Amino acid sequence: MTNKPKILIVYTGGTIGMVKDYNTGALKAFDFSQISNKIPELQQLHCDISTISFEEPIDSSNMNVNYYINIAEIISDNYDKFDGFVVLTGSDTMSYTSSAISFMFENLQKPVIFTGSQLPIGDLRTDAKENLITSIQVASTYENNKPVIQEVGLYFEYKLYRANRTTKINAEQFEAFASMNYPPLAESGVHLNFNYPLLLKPNKKEEKLVFRKKLDNNVAILKLFPGITESVVSSFIDIPNLKGVILETYGSGNAPTEKWFVNLLEKAVDKGIYIVNVTQCAGGSIIMGHYETSSELKRIGIVDGKDITTETAVAKMMYLLGEKLSKDEFKHYFETSLRGEID
């Protein structure tokens, strides 16, 4: 780019935005409008930085669909004014939040990079500065007048991941996230190295950004375990207004073959509840019908989640339910990669 890229930082809350009051020892919110003064290293980056913060920073445990919409609206309202976006949220629910944002924007052609930290930005040993600085660098990297990243990413501890491929795996290590089924989009060392063949390329025929914010959160996660009872599954699928279930099965998609279990799931499907089969394993994929224990699920119309993460399955289900699709359309689109979320 001939001009400096303009980057917007959106702070919603989370550990990264906390600084310690050394008189009281209490944590308080960091003033991101003063970010360049507080982190002078940012002045070495070739970009202009602006910031928007939630009036009341929220803890990641309180993240919900309304906040997803707030984040997405800030990006949508400022999409034409900025060249890239860095979104700061709490790491505990970051995979859920960033995955949801990835589905809310169709034909995204600018970087939206989520990051956070394990320690507050004011701590001596914090990981916040490196995560923030490199996220801004990623968001402002242009080649041939186009951003290198044109999708929703998640940057943490020297690695940039496709956001809707991530899972938080550690509450104590700086390397808090993993992407078990898809390699990092970039790695930061002495140089910032992008893995170009893995990056999403937008559809050139549809240049206009489409913002979809009709999310339906009448969904639930049912994790199978040995000894799960009929009354538990029965009460689960009878939840009022339930529209979708993420069914966490064993291994490559296996579940009990007891008649009561299959009958209850079939009853739910007949009621119009969508059930998506995802694996409990950290890595790997669903292979419906590979074993007898998943053949029945395939027969009754359970949706194949393939190698999608639970976090992304929840986000994608909320998105597709909001689109008011037919049963066949829902199954087709869930089993199709829309934002690079499944293979």
Side-chain angles (χ1 to χ4, degrees):
M1 295 183 72
T2 51
N3 299 321
K4 282 185 178 181
K6 294 179 180 178
I7 304 300
L8 179 64
I9 296 175
V10 182
Y11 174 62
T12 71
T15 300
I16 192 169
M18 295 290 120
V19 289
K20 186 176 287 186
D21 184 325
Y22 289 103
N23 294 321
T24 64
L27 291 174
K28 59 181 181 180
F30 179 74
D31 182 1
F32 277 90
S33 67
Q34 302 296 313
I35 192 168
S36 292
N37 296 331
K38 299 287 186 181
I39 309 176
E41 298 95 321
L42 292 176
Q43 295 170 27
Q44 298 179 45
L45 295 174
H46 181 72
C47 62
D48 292 325
I49 299 170
S50 299
T51 64
I52 291 179
S53 295
F54 276 19
E55 282 188 28
E56 288 289 330
I58 59 161
D59 187 279
S60 60
S61 299
N62 291 321
M63 185 60 73
N64 60 40
V65 169
N66 290 330
Y67 291 127
Y68 295 169
I69 294 170
N70 290 348
I71 294 167
E73 282 180 338
I74 290 171
I75 295 169
S76 178
D77 291 346
N78 290 280
Y79 190 75
D80 293 332
K81 303 173 194 171
F82 291 90
D83 303 297
F85 302 86
V86 173
V87 184
L88 310 179
T89 71
S91 62
D92 285 349
T93 54
M94 190 180 293
S95 289
Y96 290 95
T97 305
S98 57
S99 294
I101 298 299
S102 78
F103 292 111
M104 294 172 78
F105 289 117
E106 190 175 316
N107 196 42
L108 186 68
Q109 296 185 42
K110 294 180 180 181
V112 176
I113 310 300
F114 278 76
T115 195
S117 65
Q118 296 285 64
L119 289 174
I121 202 165
D123 270 28
L124 182 64
R125 296 178 51 255
T126 186
D127 55 331
K129 287 187 178 181
E130 195 283 322
N131 286 348
L132 178 60
I133 290 168
T134 307
S135 293
I136 295 170
Q137 187 177 5
V138 167
S140 59
T141 300
Y142 270 62
E143 293 178 2
N144 301 318
N145 285 323
K146 290 183 180 178
V148 172
I149 300 297
Q150 301 182 54
E151 58 181 289
V152 180
L154 188 157
Y155 181 84
F156 231 88
E157 191 64 8
Y158 306 117
K159 290 181 180 177
L160 174 70
Y161 303 106
R162 176 164 298 150
N164 56 34
R165 291 286 194 154
T166 61
T167 296
K168 186 172 183 183
I169 58 165
N170 203 305
E172 296 188 350
Q173 301 295 326
F174 286 146
E175 196 170 342
F177 289 85
S179 172
M180 302 301 291
N181 292 327
Y182 203 77
L185 303 181
E187 297 193 50
S188 173
V190 175
H191 302 287
L192 184 57
N193 295 313
F194 291 95
N195 198 339
Y196 290 94
L198 299 178
L199 307 182
L200 278 186
K201 300 291 188 294
N203 186 342
K204 293 179 181 177
K205 295 178 183 177
E206 300 177 20
E207 294 185 357
K208 189 172 176 58
L209 180 75
V210 181
F211 174 29
R212 303 187 183 277
K213 58 181 177 181
K214 294 178 182 177
L215 301 180
D216 190 327
N217 63 348
N218 287 295
V219 305
I221 301 170
L222 176 58
K223 184 168 186 168
L224 298 185
F225 57 90
I228 192 168
T229 63
E230 182 174 355
S231 60
V232 167
V233 179
S234 179
S235 62
F236 199 90
I237 63 171
D238 285 334
I239 294 171
N241 302 316
L242 183 67
K243 295 180 183 176
V245 175
I246 307 301
L247 182 66
E248 285 197 348
T249 56
Y250 310 122
S252 56
N254 304 311
T257 53
E258 283 111 318
K259 208 161 191 176
W260 66 261
F261 180 78
V262 177
N263 287 346
L264 281 174
L265 293 190
E266 190 167 17
K267 172 187 164 189
V269 172
D270 290 343
K271 279 170 53 177
I273 295 173
Y274 295 107
I275 303 178
V276 175
N277 189 359
V278 305
T279 179
Q280 293 181 13
C281 298
S285 179
I286 295 295
I287 310 174
M288 296 273 276
H290 186 57
Y291 293 101
E292 182 186 352
T293 46
S294 65
S295 294
E296 282 292 272
L297 301 185
K298 187 175 183 180
R299 179 187 67 78
I300 64 175
I302 303 295
V303 178
D304 186 348
K306 302 184 179 180
D307 66 347
I308 200 168
T309 64
T310 295
E311 295 92 332
T312 300
V314 170
K316 189 172 186 178
M317 181 171 276
M318 287 180 178
Y319 161 62
L320 291 178
L321 286 173
E323 293 298 303
K324 309 293 185 187
L325 304 171
S326 70
K327 188 174 180 179
D328 288 342
E329 286 173 329
F330 183 95
K331 181 174 170 61
H332 168 73
Y333 285 116
F334 204 102
E335 295 178 353
T336 301
S337 178
L338 302 178
R339 309 286 191 270
E341 72 281 2
I342 56 174
D343 280 332

